[in-house]
Amino acid sequence: MQTPEPLGGARPTSRDVARAAGVSQATVSLVLGDKWRGRVSERTAGAVREAARELGYRPNLAARNLRLGRTRTALLVVPALTNEFFAHVHTGAAAAAARHGFGVVLYPSPDGVGPARDPFASAQAALDGVIASSMATDALDAFRGTDLPLVMLDSDPAGTGAAAHVNLDVADGMRRVTGHLLGLGHRRFLHLASAAPSWTFDVRADALARELRGTDVRTVRSPLNVADAREAAERALTDSGPRPTAVVCDDDILAAGVYKAARRLGLRVPEDLSVTGFDDMTLATVVEPGLTTVRLPAEEFGRRGMEALLAVLAGEPPRPETLPVALVPRGSSGPAPAA
């Protein structure tokens, strides 16, 4: 059988298959949808399959799902997957989605926080909704102007453009950290802050500034990686003036960098320098001594985000949620050293 090439070298369609096999598009749909038995002869079904194979035809699943009204797919937009936290967020979201017959496509923003290309030829055709971390806000440009419902994670609840917000009580987490360190007698602090622009880090900084008002606090910023954190901490800890007795970090990864800086400078943790983190991922229990940190319920966070999207899709009114966090004291925090 001689099969004509699709015009212009475009992706072959069911119409091209029908023309090549000498049948109607309806017959092509029956055969390729495996619903031909009793309606189409085996010879005709074979001709359709052969034409589809020779043309390289693949059914357009997005278009088919649009005709059915749903793709049952959500997109989870997160920073580049250098942080274990977002893997747990995905686990929670995927588990909640599976219970409702949905799938979750994980889409990390290139370079962590920069803009991302639309991962689909047409986002509206391929998705039912989007769940996004505030740390990947710029990656959402591909979906602006669409009618896709958006659920924001860890973002300003007063912000516009999202159908629902799910947050972590990071301000309370920072209050717990600072209260713990103040109770241990610390009065000179270094805040090793994330350099990533994000609402969640702004909230942490504001809470820390309020709680430590009247003490000696210095803030330095670092990208979220151990090497840069070590360099930033080492510079801060060797500057002139009294050395901080405690370092409050926006993330466990930054805290690991402080550990390395302390070792290079001959400082003991916690005898000379107390260190705290944020997240309570595996890293917090791998370092020695174990890291005092704020436990964020990452899987629950992802689950609530997915449930919020499902509620929006069901037409239910959005209900802002803020999940509680917990302080996990370990060996990295101790009494302030004598002056």
Side-chain angles (χ1 to χ4, degrees):
M1 175 176 58
Q2 184 175 3
T3 54
E5 291 292 326
L7 294 178
R11 173 177 173 169
T13 67
S14 61
R15 179 174 295 180
D16 296 320
V17 176
R19 187 169 66 246
V23 299
S24 68
Q25 280 185 269
T27 298
V28 171
S29 296
L30 286 173
V31 173
L32 299 184
D34 201 26
K35 298 178 181 178
W36 60 273
R37 292 173 180 81
R39 303 181 185 183
V40 175
S41 70
E42 286 201 25
R43 180 178 178 180
T44 298
V48 169
R49 286 193 292 266
E50 183 181 351
R53 184 167 52 253
E54 291 191 8
L55 287 171
Y57 172 75
R58 295 291 183 274
N60 187 337
L61 297 180
R64 176 179 180 274
N65 282 326
L66 278 180
R67 289 194 296 273
L68 296 175
R70 278 287 174 88
T71 65
R72 305 190 75 78
T73 302
L75 186 73
L76 176 61
V77 183
V78 299
L81 295 178
T82 55
N83 191 319
E84 178 191 350
F85 175 80
F86 292 105
H88 290 282
V89 170
H90 173 260
T91 297
R99 287 194 292 270
H100 296 271
F102 268 68
V104 175
V105 177
L106 181 63
Y107 189 63
S109 169
D111 302 320
V113 294
R117 295 185 301 276
D118 180 352
F120 302 100
S122 170
Q124 281 185 281
L127 300 170
D128 282 317
V130 179
I131 307 167
S133 162
S134 66
M135 290 179 64
T137 301
D138 289 343
L140 298 177
D141 287 343
F143 309 104
R144 301 194 194 285
T146 74
D147 60 0
L148 288 171
L150 169 65
V151 172
M152 289 299 301
L153 303 179
D154 231 9
S155 69
D156 187 352
T160 59
H165 294 266
V166 179
N167 285 323
L168 298 163
D169 198 346
V170 291
D172 182 58
M174 194 58 84
R175 286 192 293 268
R176 290 172 182 267
V177 164
T178 53
H180 173 68
L181 293 171
L182 289 170
L184 290 169
H186 293 276
R187 296 296 182 270
R188 297 196 306 272
F189 295 90
L190 172 65
H191 177 206
L192 187 54
S194 167
S198 174
W199 176 86
T200 185
F201 294 127
D202 291 342
V203 169
R204 299 175 204 197
D206 289 345
L208 181 142
R210 286 194 303 270
E211 297 303 312
L212 295 185
R213 189 176 292 115
T215 66
D216 181 3
V217 184
R218 181 184 176 192
T219 298
V220 296
R221 298 187 178 277
S222 169
L224 283 172
N225 66 74
V226 174
D228 284 326
R230 180 195 62 76
E231 292 182 8
E234 195 168 334
R235 286 194 302 269
L237 292 171
T238 54
D239 277 352
S240 59
R243 188 177 64 231
T245 63
V247 184
V248 180
C249 301
D250 274 353
D251 187 278
D252 293 349
I253 294 173
L254 298 179
V258 177
Y259 272 56
K260 292 178 76 69
R263 173 168 289 190
R264 286 168 65 100
L265 296 173
L267 299 175
R268 299 167 298 164
V269 176
E271 291 84 359
D272 302 315
L273 188 70
S274 287
V275 183
T276 65
F278 231 92
D279 280 357
D280 195 30
M281 295 293 102
T282 303
L283 177 62
T285 58
V286 170
V287 293
E288 187 61 40
L291 178 65
T292 294
T293 188
V294 175
R295 177 172 295 160
L296 305 181
E299 286 194 25
E300 178 73 2
F301 194 35
R303 182 178 73 80
R304 296 288 185 93
M306 187 67 216
E307 289 177 348
L309 178 59
L310 292 170
V312 170
L313 291 171
E316 299 175 12
R319 185 182 62 184
E321 287 195 82
T322 301
L323 305 185
V325 303
L327 177 69
V328 184
R330 295 193 180 98
S332 70
S333 55

